[in-house]
Amino acid sequence: MNQNQALFEYLLRLGDSDMVLAQRLCELVGKAPALEEEMAIGNVALDLIGQARSWLEYAAELEDAGRSADDLAFTRDERAYRNLLLVEQDNGNFADTMARQFLFDLWHYHLLSALSQSSDERIVAIAAKGLKEVTYHLRRSGNWIKRLGDGTEESHAKMQEAIDEIWTYAGEMFIADEVDSLLADAGIAPDLNALQQKWQSDLTTTLEEATLACPPMDAFMQTGSKQGMHTEQLGYLLAEMQFLPRSFPGASW
Amino acid sequence: MIRESDNSRSDAVAFETSSVDRLIASDRAGRSGVSGIRPALEEIWQLLEEVADPEVPVVSVVDLGIVRDLAWADEQLVVKVTPTYSGCPATEFIEQAIEEALHAAGIADVRLEQQLFPAWTTDWITDAGREKLRAFGIAPPVGSASKRTLLGEEPEVACPQCGSHDTSRVSEFGSTACKALYRCNSCLEPFDYFKCI
């Protein structure tokens, strides 16, 4: 694998995670528990779609195979998707949605902070732009973790259950493969161990404040997204997302 | 939702929508060298101050800091624009409005380039823009877009109606990506706050 192939893979991972999470969040538009939450969730999804577009446009240019960012988004099958297993998980109840969001936002925040120092200028531009948005996302999801964790007996129990439930999908974010190592050596992407330390330290602080217990890092963790091995949930999500462009190829407004 | 690559897109749009206008106008410029075809950049900045933001029409694309730079490359005007938010749905509309305004003013050959870096922040909003926002009933961003503002406590936002500092946040997100929803505890008016990013 050469550096360009690795970078293409890496950009797919970044773009796919943003897009799949955005698609999940959009499922809540029209049925969020409160209007303010609906606006927030919709806005977060919009930011993520914008970021996904930037990453996938870069990926498409790099691949230079006549595929556009749209083609990458709407014509790849499940096994070609490279998003984290975490983001494809169902919305569940509001605590589940927020647990998933918080674990993602915290990773996303530290990842984009690191990518803002990348040796690749275009990555720096996209990451620095996204970082401002993600900082805002993180503040909000972190506040919800604290509010629900340190809330009533019921909200505490649900929040704890949500963290425990999603935990098995968190470890994957920090398991490096050939792509990660190659790009880390080139100064393009960050070292995942360093990323994990920052993530874990912030996570511990927030969970403590929220009076929640942090599950063990050495618990069994699901993996596979980097090889395109996804959980059952992704197929359904893509079926809905890709239905229109696949049924009516080339359709435009 | 997902567009063609940024670099090629603006060119493509310009060619599709105005190739006829452009040919005619550039022919004219080439033959007679009429002044006004290539106005001074200062005049173009003034012209763009008339191009309103589609979602907050009291402020212009210049007030918001969306137009980064103007430059002539021979007969072609290169306009560097920056999106406010990565996913702002108004981005393409704004780019189109800028192009149309320039064509309408007789500038035939326009190229829009998207510039992501350095990232747009609310610090780019001009003082005039902040004043217009306030007059329109939208509280302008408070303070500077530092990491502390983003992660820290809520800023003290003054009510754009009565000026009271006794306000509270209703929602971190509002009617558009760039706004949060507030309420004044003194005059009881709800209002939009252009959030600091």
Side-chain angles (χ1 to χ4, degrees):
Chain A
M1 181 181 290
N2 66 33
Q3 190 172 305
N4 265 10
Q5 288 165 329
L7 185 53
F8 176 71
E9 271 295 306
Y10 192 75
L11 292 168
L12 289 185
R13 291 175 190 177
L14 294 170
D16 289 352
S17 285
D18 285 345
M19 194 168 53
V20 168
L21 182 55
Q23 179 73 12
R24 270 281 175 253
L25 290 173
C26 286
E27 289 173 10
L28 286 165
V29 172
K31 41 184 152 161
L35 183 61
E36 289 78 9
E37 282 318 303
E38 181 162 319
M39 287 197 297
I41 286 167
N43 270 293
V44 170
L46 197 58
D47 288 341
L48 293 176
I49 290 171
Q51 294 173 27
R53 180 164 68 188
S54 298
W55 295 126
L56 293 182
E57 278 172 354
Y58 189 11
E61 280 176 43
L62 201 67
E63 186 191 37
D64 195 22
R67 285 201 287 184
S68 67
D70 269 343
D71 295 333
L72 288 176
F74 295 119
T75 63
R76 273 180 306 147
D77 282 328
E78 186 195 350
R79 291 289 286 270
Y81 259 76
R82 294 291 182 262
N83 60 281
L84 294 167
L85 300 177
L86 177 81
V87 298
E88 70 202 32
Q89 301 310 308
D90 287 333
N91 287 325
N93 64 32
F94 190 69
D96 294 323
T97 301
M98 281 304 130
R100 182 189 63 201
Q101 193 67 36
F102 179 64
L103 297 188
F104 175 81
D105 287 345
L106 195 53
W107 168 82
H108 206 193
Y109 172 78
H110 286 299
L111 177 67
L112 293 186
S113 302
L115 289 177
S116 304
Q117 312 291 322
S118 169
S119 59
D120 183 304
E121 274 182 21
R122 181 137 170 206
I123 287 184
V124 171
I126 300 169
K129 175 104 205 120
L131 182 59
K132 292 176 174 301
E133 295 153 8
V134 170
T135 309
Y136 206 82
H137 302 171
L138 175 61
R139 185 175 74 180
R140 172 175 167 275
S141 58
N143 281 343
W144 269 119
I145 298 297
K146 291 181 223 167
R147 200 183 293 189
L148 293 175
D150 193 14
T152 65
E153 207 175 303
E154 190 183 350
S155 74
H156 175 87
K158 284 189 171 171
M159 199 64 244
Q160 185 68 59
E161 202 182 316
I163 298 272
D164 294 347
E165 196 69 22
I166 199 82
W167 189 249
T168 191
Y169 300 107
E172 191 195 32
M173 303 192 278
F174 308 107
I175 300 172
D177 69 352
E178 194 193 347
V179 170
D180 296 302
S181 316
L182 207 151
L183 296 180
D185 288 345
I188 294 174
D191 170 59
L192 292 185
N193 284 327
L195 194 66
Q196 180 170 14
Q197 280 171 16
K198 289 178 184 161
W199 182 84
Q200 222 169 318
S201 149
D202 283 358
L203 178 72
T204 312
T205 311
T206 303
L207 290 184
E208 260 172 36
E209 252 188 274
T211 71
L212 294 164
C214 186
M217 268 321 284
D218 58 1
F220 172 75
M221 296 292 184
Q222 298 282 351
T223 57
S225 77
K226 288 179 178 177
Q227 294 78 43
M229 302 296 287
H230 290 275
T231 60
E232 185 188 357
Q233 283 86 338
L234 182 65
Y236 294 103
L237 180 143
L238 291 182
E240 188 175 345
M241 189 179 93
Q242 299 181 334
F243 162 75
L244 194 116
R246 282 186 185 261
S247 301
F248 305 93
S252 65
W253 294 110
Chain B
M1 245 182 283
I2 293 186
R3 305 176 306 194
E4 293 284 310
S5 96
D6 281 339
N7 293 339
S8 62
R9 181 174 38 79
S10 50
D11 294 20
V13 170
F15 273 113
E16 274 165 26
T17 56
S18 63
S19 53
V20 174
D21 297 352
R22 181 200 305 230
L23 281 177
I24 295 168
S26 54
D27 273 1
R28 195 170 50 205
R31 283 187 204 131
S32 57
V34 179
S35 67
I37 291 298
R38 223 190 106 153
L41 293 178
E42 209 171 294
E43 286 172 45
I44 303 173
W45 279 110
Q46 280 174 8
L47 187 79
L48 292 178
E49 274 171 28
E50 303 297 316
V51 180
D53 178 85
E55 283 174 340
V56 191
V58 285
V59 287
S60 74
V61 294
V62 175
D63 292 330
L64 283 177
I66 291 173
V67 181
R68 277 276 162 89
D69 190 37
L70 295 174
W72 283 106
D74 295 323
E75 295 303 310
Q76 188 178 54
L77 179 67
V78 181
V79 184
K80 289 208 171 129
V81 292
T82 193
T84 52
Y85 281 72
S86 297
C88 180
T91 304
E92 284 163 59
F93 189 89
I94 289 171
E95 290 176 6
Q96 205 184 334
I98 289 173
E99 233 176 275
E100 280 169 8
L102 295 172
H103 286 317
I107 302 167
D109 196 356
V110 176
R111 188 171 85 235
L112 268 81
E113 280 180 9
Q114 223 179 56
Q115 188 187 343
L116 284 184
F117 193 82
W120 181 87
T121 77
T122 35
D123 294 347
W124 288 78
I125 302 178
T126 63
D127 289 342
R130 282 161 202 266
E131 201 37 60
K132 286 183 208 167
L133 284 172
R134 199 187 335 266
F136 188 60
I138 298 173
V142 174
S144 173
S146 66
K147 202 181 274 182
R148 229 184 86 252
T149 322
L150 283 166
L151 278 176
E153 286 306 297
E154 293 177 40
E156 196 180 72
V157 178
C159 170
Q161 311 288 348
C162 72
S164 166
H165 283 256
D166 184 12
T167 59
S168 50
R169 192 180 67 203
V170 178
S171 169
E172 272 173 314
F173 293 87
S175 53
T176 63
C178 54
K179 286 178 282 183
L181 205 55
Y182 273 71
R183 177 177 47 220
C184 176
N185 298 325
S186 300
C187 72
L188 303 179
E189 281 287 323
F191 64 91
D192 274 331
Y193 166 57
F194 204 110
K195 67 199 185 197
C196 203
I197 194 169

